[in-house]
Amino acid sequence: YDSFHTFWNDMKEIKTYAGLASILIMAIGFQCCTRSAAPGDENGFPKLTGPFMGQNPPGDSAVLFMPGIISTGLYTRDMAIMPDGREIYFCVSSMGYNLIFYTRQQDGYWTEPEPAPFITDYQYMYYEPCISGDGQKLMFLSNMPMDEGGETGNQDIWVVDRNGAGWGRPYNLGPPVNSENAEFFPSLTDDGTLYFTRQEMGSPENFIYRSRWVNGQYTTPEKMGPEVNCGTNRFNACIARDESYIIVPAVGMSDGFGGADYYVVFRNEDDTWSPPFNLGPGINNATGSEWSPYISPDGQYFFFMASKRPEKLPENLTIQYFRDHLDVPQNGNADIYWVHAGFIQSLRPG
């Protein structure tokens, strides 16, 4: 966790393990998603209707988001939802590729996920989508070259503008946000304020920065204080749309469960910040694989990446067992979970 570069390389080496419990969870979750759906299309993809692809919204306990559709057993993380809820973006890593996928409502039904239309070359990294409050911009992380046909670039924040019902061509956000350092994980408030992570060259640490949108341009980024930049390392922070709190994945915290955990830091009216509060065992676990948070546009739901696997394998373990469980959730790869966000405000100090 000392470096996002290290994280990106390490996630290609994640082993896949699963148990019978994961099959049951997938079956139950899939039934919840499709119980009111029409028969599948010619490709066998179910015709899902309603908000969040028809999945029953969660309560106070976190559940897999769209098992078998989005949480599939592939390494899956990051979420971004259009303000009207009719498009969902997420990221998948497989076979050395790192891509943004999306699904949208079309003629009343959700489409089968496919690569985002603004992806121009699969050999580069496309990660961490973030949609503006008005739905007119989408920011994301990429290492695309600055010029077409050039050498692979630095980790920068890129942008696409809404063009009718689709997106235009990607362009680099540029200075003062992007620099010779690595910048990633953009997160926007409704007024356009940008929070992001920067790893300075030659340093193993990542820090959260903020840049205000003033007179049509971003101001010089400011490094956030120790409340937000907590622990021995931190990255991939997600700001609430109204800027009332921020979710920070942090390592090296005294009350951590192991590795990276999600913390909430509350913002006060005078722009001071509370101490960080651990989101607890219902969100964090000992694997330490929690580093991609997201808050739905209406603030009602908290989405997060987590890696879970069965605590033990069957006694009659065979190689076929692993083959049979490569494409189910909770097999050791990252999945996306969601939970009602009300519990977050309950952590705010009185």
Side-chain angles (χ1 to χ4, degrees):
Y1 307 102
D2 291 338
S3 162
F4 185 78
H5 298 82
T6 301
F7 148 67
W8 179 38
N9 291 329
D10 285 350
M11 65 182 185
K12 299 177 184 177
E13 302 174 3
I14 294 175
K15 298 179 180 179
T16 54
Y17 299 93
L20 296 175
S22 62
I23 297 178
L24 178 62
I25 291 172
M26 183 181 73
I28 294 173
F30 189 80
Q31 183 181 13
C32 293
C33 302
T34 61
R35 62 175 59 175
S36 61
D41 61 18
E42 62 273 15
N43 297 320
F45 188 76
K47 290 189 174 181
L48 307 174
T49 63
F52 301 108
M53 303 186 77
Q55 186 170 1
N56 294 330
D60 296 334
S61 298
V63 297
L64 279 167
F65 181 65
M66 295 306 300
I69 304 294
I70 289 180
S71 295
T72 61
L74 297 173
Y75 191 97
T76 308
R77 48 166 287 185
D78 305 333
M79 281 283 293
I81 302 174
M82 286 290 284
D84 63 5
R86 295 176 62 85
E87 294 179 19
I88 297 175
Y89 294 77
F90 62 99
C91 296
V92 173
S93 294
S94 182
M95 300 184 295
Y97 295 96
N98 308 277
L99 303 175
I100 298 172
F101 280 72
Y102 85 118
T103 174
R104 69 189 187 280
Q105 281 187 308
Q106 180 175 297
D107 299 327
Y109 298 108
W110 288 90
T111 61
E112 186 172 6
E114 60 184 311
F118 53 81
I119 293 180
T120 56
D121 193 328
Y122 292 160
Q123 68 176 306
Y124 302 115
M125 175 173 56
Y126 302 86
Y127 254 154
E128 302 166 355
C130 172
I131 298 172
S132 61
D134 60 6
Q136 295 304 299
K137 291 185 182 296
L138 186 151
M139 295 184 177
F140 62 98
L141 162 67
S142 185
N143 61 348
M144 288 187 293
M146 293 291 291
D147 300 312
E148 188 173 352
E151 295 183 0
T152 300
N154 195 9
Q155 292 186 48
D156 280 341
I157 295 172
W158 287 70
V159 189
V160 287
D161 296 323
R162 197 68 173 179
N163 182 9
W167 300 101
R169 291 182 60 84
Y171 59 92
N172 192 289
L173 183 59
V177 173
N178 289 330
S179 67
E180 72 278 5
N181 302 299
E183 285 83 22
F184 48 93
F185 210 91
S187 184
L188 291 164
T189 66
D190 279 335
D191 68 3
T193 298
L194 172 64
Y195 286 73
F196 65 96
T197 305
R198 173 178 286 169
Q199 182 189 27
E200 298 179 0
M201 294 182 64
S203 172
E205 285 192 78
N206 306 284
F207 293 95
I208 311 303
Y209 283 76
R210 176 175 66 183
S211 178
R212 297 291 188 187
W213 181 251
V214 179
N215 296 326
Q217 61 185 2
Y218 281 107
T219 59
T220 300
E222 58 176 314
K223 183 186 290 186
M224 302 303 293
E227 298 85 4
V228 174
N229 282 306
C230 53
T232 58
N233 208 347
R234 72 301 302 167
F235 38 81
N236 299 2
C238 179
I239 188 69
R241 289 288 186 177
D242 61 1
E243 209 175 0
S244 61
Y245 66 88
I246 190 169
I247 305 295
V248 182
V251 299
M253 300 290 285
S254 60
D255 61 345
F257 291 87
D261 279 354
Y262 294 113
Y263 287 79
V264 60
V265 187
F266 295 98
R267 180 173 175 267
N268 303 311
E269 292 184 0
D270 60 357
D271 201 35
T272 58
W273 296 79
S274 75
F277 297 94
N278 193 299
L279 292 190
I283 305 297
N284 297 310
N285 65 76
T287 67
S289 298
E290 292 96 23
W291 55 69
S292 182
Y294 175 69
I295 304 155
S296 63
D298 60 6
Q300 293 297 303
Y301 302 104
F302 174 54
F303 294 80
F304 62 98
M305 178 208 98
S307 299
K308 298 182 180 181
R309 68 182 187 186
E311 294 184 358
K312 64 179 181 179
L313 296 171
E315 294 183 0
N316 58 337
L317 181 63
T318 65
I319 189 65
Q320 188 61 43
Y321 179 88
F322 288 112
R323 292 171 179 161
D324 292 342
H325 294 78
L326 286 175
D327 58 351
V328 297
Q330 296 184 326
N331 62 5
N333 283 336
D335 295 307
I336 295 175
Y337 294 78
W338 64 327
V339 63
H340 195 278
F343 81 99
I344 295 176
Q345 291 295 344
S346 69
L347 298 174
R348 181 184 286 272

